Amino acid sequence: MLKRRTFMAAAAACMLMSPIAHAEYKAEYTVSTVLPSAFPWGQAADKWVELVKERSEGRINMKIYSSAQLVSGDQTKEFSAMRSGLIDMSVGSTINWSPQVPELNLFSLPFLMPDHASIDAITQGEAGKAVFAAIEKRGVTPLAWGENGFRQLSNSKLKVDEPSDLQGLKIRVVGSPLFQDTFTALGANPTQMSWADAKPALTTGAVDGQENPLSVFDVARIDQVGQTHLTRWGYMADPLVFAVSTRVWRQFSPEDQQLLQQAAIDAGKWEIEKSRAELEATLAKIKERGVEVTDLTPEQHAAFVEATRSVYEKWTPRIGEELVKQAQDAVANRK
């Protein structure tokens, strides 16, 4: 009898240490995104799910729910739903999560990042680590960076190449007060609405314009709803974050945590390289559809920078003086 008990105890111990012990994992984990597979954002999530399934040999299965459908289309509620465990995982936008994580407003500061090297210098440096720490402190475990891209401005009324051109224009913006302040400083009339509501509003003329990466303008065919003027001003970039609800994260073994994170890192690198490589072809397609594309001169760019300085004065204390300085130093010293 004693031998039998000893054998059973040893067997139980082996089970605890083996991959089979994690059979209590959910049959399927939810992954929230705003944009579906036609967009680089959705493709980032697709690649993550694919790599995890392949590397776990089917032990960890994830299902993507795009269009923020797990939060009834309100993308600004995604982070809170993850924190509470209602959503397991996400490839989310720094913009959409900024209401719950003020530090994420860093990336929305106008004209902070002039090029892709600037984004990389921030996300891969001390500022990026500080941002990840801020996310983790609030109940979500960040794993890797992706990229939605530099956001460009379009409208149905006129060519925009100086701040005064925006006077009175109704511009759809995402649900972040910082965006309201940026466009108000430029003389526009910012109107907050979810992505689900944006295209109908552009169609009816309820708003005159919007701002999004070129990939979104292209795939969503924003040109078909009267957006015939596009200004490439690159006023801010929108990194994506691969993340897991910390409640869910703690359920995985250390080995599977490593698997999930490495898959996210690899998926993020793949998506960033792919989306950047496609930019010129995307711009060419947009021009072929008859959209007037305006590139700012250095002098015109400087005028927009000057017009939005008040945003820094208001938002730097909210984001954190040290974090903003880390980011500015990273940009200044980028390679």
Side-chain angles (χ1 to χ4, degrees):
M1 188 70 176
L2 181 60
K3 285 183 180 179
R4 186 169 182 274
R5 285 177 180 168
T6 303
F7 172 78
M8 293 294 286
C14 288
M15 285 288 286
L16 285 171
M17 292 184 289
S18 73
I20 300 172
H22 302 290
E24 73 271 13
Y25 288 176
K26 293 168 68 171
E28 195 170 77
Y29 291 91
T30 56
V31 181
S32 178
T33 69
V34 172
L35 295 180
S37 302
F39 301 84
W41 187 340
Q43 292 161 16
D46 290 342
K47 179 61 73 171
W48 187 26
V49 170
E50 173 193 322
L51 292 177
V52 169
K53 185 171 185 177
E54 175 187 306
R55 294 174 185 181
S56 69
E57 298 180 335
R59 289 186 300 104
I60 303 173
N61 294 292
M62 300 144 71
K63 183 176 179 179
I64 297 168
Y65 293 82
S66 60
S67 304
Q69 59 185 286
L70 295 175
V71 283
S72 302
D74 187 349
Q75 57 229 53
T76 61
K77 292 181 179 177
E78 185 179 68
F79 189 88
S80 296
M82 285 187 72
R83 184 166 52 191
S84 65
L86 294 175
I87 292 175
D88 298 322
M89 307 177 186
S90 176
V91 180
S93 161
T94 56
I95 299 170
N96 294 334
W97 295 0
S98 64
Q100 290 81 37
V101 187
E103 291 86 348
L104 289 174
N105 285 292
L106 172 73
F107 299 101
S108 299
L109 286 172
F111 306 103
L112 171 66
M113 299 168 284
D115 49 34
H116 288 125
S118 302
I119 303 174
D120 297 340
I122 293 174
T123 59
Q124 305 307 313
E126 292 305 310
K129 291 177 185 175
V131 169
F132 267 22
I135 295 172
E136 191 163 13
K137 186 171 72 174
R138 291 170 174 87
V140 170
T141 301
L143 305 181
W145 295 99
E147 188 167 285
N148 195 27
F150 279 102
R151 299 177 78 89
Q152 314 298 1
L153 177 69
S154 75
N155 82 94
S156 61
K157 301 292 186 183
L158 76 169
K159 174 181 177 179
V160 173
D161 61 13
E162 58 183 51
S164 61
D165 293 330
L166 282 166
Q167 191 67 40
L169 280 186
K170 297 184 294 251
I171 305 294
R172 175 265 173 179
V173 296
V174 292
S176 165
L178 194 155
F179 282 74
Q180 300 270 354
D181 290 341
T182 296
F183 281 90
T184 298
L186 291 168
N189 179 12
T191 304
Q192 187 275 320
M193 62 180 65
S194 70
W195 173 244
D197 296 329
K199 200 168 180 182
L202 292 166
T203 303
T204 62
V207 291
D208 302 314
Q210 60 88 52
E211 46 77 61
N212 255 308
L214 290 180
S215 61
V216 176
F217 188 97
D218 171 42
V219 178
R221 291 304 304 267
I222 302 298
D223 57 287
Q224 292 182 335
V225 289
Q227 298 294 288
T228 53
H229 304 279
L230 177 68
T231 301
R232 291 209 303 166
W233 63 342
Y235 83 115
M236 58 85 59
D238 182 16
L240 302 173
V241 180
F242 293 74
V244 181
S245 167
T246 300
R247 294 182 182 210
V248 174
W249 181 248
R250 288 171 180 159
Q251 298 168 12
F252 290 107
S253 68
E255 295 80 11
D256 284 335
Q257 288 178 346
Q258 173 61 26
L259 185 155
L260 281 159
Q261 180 159 32
Q262 190 58 53
I265 291 169
D266 294 343
K269 286 181 178 177
W270 172 86
E271 182 266 335
I272 289 170
E273 289 174 7
K274 181 176 184 291
S275 60
R276 291 180 183 179
E278 293 171 347
L279 279 174
E280 287 306 314
T282 299
L283 181 62
K285 283 191 286 184
I286 292 170
K287 288 180 177 179
E288 286 170 6
R289 293 173 190 150
V291 177
E292 178 189 35
V293 177
T294 300
D295 290 299
L296 301 180
T297 66
E299 293 76 22
Q300 290 169 335
H301 181 271
F304 281 99
V305 172
E306 183 61 33
T308 53
R309 288 201 188 281
S310 61
V311 179
Y312 280 78
E313 294 167 10
K314 179 175 179 178
W315 281 90
T316 295
R318 299 184 184 189
I319 296 166
E321 306 254 358
E322 183 179 352
L323 179 57
V324 172
K325 186 175 187 311
Q326 282 179 328
Q328 290 172 326
D329 289 346
V331 171
N333 298 318
R334 69 190 184 282
K335 296 179 181 178

